[in-house]
Amino acid sequence: AQSVAQPEDQVNVAEGNPLTVKCTYSVSGNPYLFWYVQYPNRGLQFLLKYITGDNLVKGSYGFEAEFNKSQTSFHLKKPSALVSDSALYFCAVRDASGGSYIPTFGRGTSLIVHP
Amino acid sequence: SAVISQKPSRDICQRGTSLTIQCQVDSQVTMMFWYRQQPGQSLTLIATANQGSEATYESGFVIDKFPISRPNLTFSTLTVSNMSPEDSSIYLCSVEDEGLGYTFGSGTRLTVV
């Protein structure tokens, strides 16, 4: 079985400050990990993914995420937040070991960046 | 990366009626996924649709309520049948995309009155 947890319903940060949106996961084998962003009244947009290789993954709009196998985490980060980053963020996991080809999504974290 | 055109983007429907949502992909894909998302909440998988076979439904979703068609490798429809206000939600289609993991349609916002 695979699962993902986003422990924070909402993250508030001031514009220009660094931001972190947390994600932890559980899979039987190795994970494929994803971050998506959803703006109001829009579908989900891909930000970045971890498949293999470097633990630090860089993605769209200046976002990055660090894969930490020992802590089973894949936190999303950005050095300097923008008001336009305010949106709903979803972490997703899929077992790379041939199990389900269907990703499991977290419940989402609402990021609010204050001017 | 795949591009998905999803229609309609929104609709307001009377209870007891049905709505069919369409997703057209600009490339051939094996699997398509249909999700439901309550406003501000996570995605719940309804079913997986493979071309040439019946869709596989998740627990809590049945074919009579959410019939799915997958006539070819670029197109799928989801019908929400005999709608009630509890069906008001956002419905999303998705495909597995080698470059980006998974690509999503822009969603259909359904309101049942």
Side-chain angles (χ1 to χ4, degrees):
Chain A
Q2 59 191 32
S3 65
V4 61
Q6 293 181 242
E8 303 154 317
D9 287 336
Q10 184 172 300
V11 170
N12 291 277
V13 64
E15 187 173 32
N17 283 0
L19 69 87
T20 299
V21 183
K22 296 180 180 177
C23 172
T24 58
Y25 66 90
S26 175
V27 294
S28 301
N30 292 319
Y32 290 157
L33 293 156
F34 310 88
W35 275 103
Y36 289 86
V37 59
Q38 185 179 35
Y39 298 100
N41 302 313
R42 306 286 289 275
L44 273 70
Q45 297 179 33
F46 171 84
L47 277 179
L48 50 80
K49 68 178 179 181
Y50 172 83
I51 302 298
T52 186
D54 289 341
N55 290 341
L56 184 63
V57 178
K58 294 187 182 297
S60 306
Y61 311 121
F63 284 94
E64 59 187 29
E66 185 168 11
F67 170 62
N68 187 318
K69 188 172 184 177
S70 63
Q71 297 185 3
T72 62
S73 67
F74 191 57
H75 301 330
L76 181 70
K77 299 181 179 183
K78 187 173 183 181
S80 178
L82 300 172
V83 172
S84 57
D85 293 329
S86 299
L88 191 58
Y89 290 81
F90 291 96
C91 181
V93 67
R94 173 187 153 182
D95 193 329
S97 305
S100 174
Y101 42 76
I102 300 169
T104 297
F105 287 84
R107 63 180 182 175
T109 298
S110 178
L111 173 66
I112 299 175
V113 182
H114 303 278
Chain B
S1 62
V3 176
I4 302 176
S5 174
Q6 183 172 346
K7 297 178 183 179
S9 58
R10 59 178 62 229
D11 208 341
I12 300 173
C13 300
Q14 297 291 322
R15 66 177 68 200
T17 63
S18 298
L19 175 71
T20 295
I21 302 166
Q22 300 180 4
C23 277
Q24 177 75 51
V25 190
D26 69 345
S27 58
Q28 294 184 338
V29 293
T30 303
M31 289 184 291
M32 292 184 73
F33 308 101
W34 287 97
Y35 290 89
R36 183 170 71 183
Q37 182 186 23
Q38 300 290 341
Q41 297 188 22
S42 189
L43 284 71
T44 301
L45 182 66
I46 297 172
T48 303
N50 290 337
Q51 190 267 334
S53 62
E54 281 200 7
T56 301
Y57 289 83
E58 298 298 302
S59 175
F61 298 96
V62 295
I63 188 171
D64 290 345
K65 176 67 176 178
F66 297 100
I68 289 171
S69 77
R70 184 80 201 275
N72 57 53
L73 291 173
T74 64
F75 187 77
S76 180
T77 67
L78 169 76
T79 298
V80 186
S81 303
N82 189 25
M83 289 184 285
S84 66
E86 292 71 34
D87 295 319
S88 297
S89 193
I90 300 168
Y91 293 84
L92 295 153
C93 62
S94 175
V95 301
E96 187 174 9
D97 188 330
E98 272 196 43
L100 297 181
Y102 299 87
T103 296
F104 287 81
S106 54
T108 297
R109 182 178 293 272
L110 171 62
T111 303
V112 183
V113 298

